[in-house]
């Protein structure tokens, strides 16, 4: 288990399930970043997500490689990369498609404030 304030990479289905269970059990906002190694916009936005994770230890940041965990990507109906899924207690509350730094930050702030 990674420490707070980190972008947690889920490389296996088992690690994804473990992290998803942890996120569901917490009252924290979880932001799931769907990316791929070949995706140029993903490479642009990843350092931004890492910085957000450091600044916002009360938010769980998970990273899923769409090629490594195709079934998870399909389960969340991800059609473009990067896609960010916002979850609270296992329920999807929002999403951002694309490397939209400002929108990503706004939605994180919005959902952190909602009870």
């Amino acid at each position: 288990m990674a420490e707070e304030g980190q972008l947690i990479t889920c490389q296996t289905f088992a690690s994804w399930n473990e992290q998803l269970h942890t996120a569901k059990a917490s009252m924290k906002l979880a932001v799931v970043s769907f990316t791929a190694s070949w995706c140029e916009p993903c490479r642009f936005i990843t350092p931004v997500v890492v910085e957000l994770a450091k600044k916002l230890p009360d938010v769980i940041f998970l990273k899923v490689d769409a090629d490594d965990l195709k079934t998870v990507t399909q389960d969340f109906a991800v059609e473009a990369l990067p896609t960010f899924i916002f979850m609270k207690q296992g329920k999807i509350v929002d999403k951002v498609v694309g490397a939209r730094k400002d929108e990503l930050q706004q939605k994180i702030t919005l959902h952190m404030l909602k009870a």
Side-chain angles (χ1 to χ4, degrees):
M1 174 98 164
E3 293 178 29
E4 289 182 343
Q6 292 184 6
L7 175 59
I8 303 165
T9 301
C10 301
Q11 295 179 315
T12 66
F13 196 67
S15 70
W16 163 252
N17 279 333
E18 178 186 343
Q19 294 302 331
L20 187 61
H21 177 74
T22 300
K24 281 182 184 178
S26 79
M27 298 301 286
K28 294 181 179 183
L29 173 66
V31 179
V32 184
S33 170
F34 287 89
T35 67
S37 59
W38 49 264
C39 170
E40 192 63 37
C42 299
R43 288 193 289 247
F44 164 77
I45 199 73
T46 296
V48 172
V49 178
V50 169
E51 279 305 307
L52 288 170
K54 287 178 185 174
K55 290 179 185 174
L56 303 169
D58 289 334
V59 178
I60 298 169
F61 288 88
L62 304 176
K63 179 180 173 184
V64 173
D65 187 301
D67 292 328
D68 291 343
L69 295 175
K70 289 180 179 160
T71 55
V72 174
T73 304
Q74 291 168 351
D75 289 347
F76 283 87
V78 173
E79 297 177 352
L81 298 175
T83 292
F84 300 91
I85 303 287
F86 298 79
M87 300 176 72
K88 276 196 173 175
Q89 295 179 299
K91 294 186 172 97
I92 297 172
V93 294
D94 215 334
K95 89 178 189 180
V96 171
V97 178
R100 300 175 181 200
K101 177 182 171 183
D102 293 339
E103 185 178 357
L104 179 63
Q105 291 174 322
Q106 289 168 359
K107 294 217 177 184
I108 289 170
T109 301
L110 171 73
H111 292 292
M112 280 177 56
L113 298 176
K114 287 185 177 179

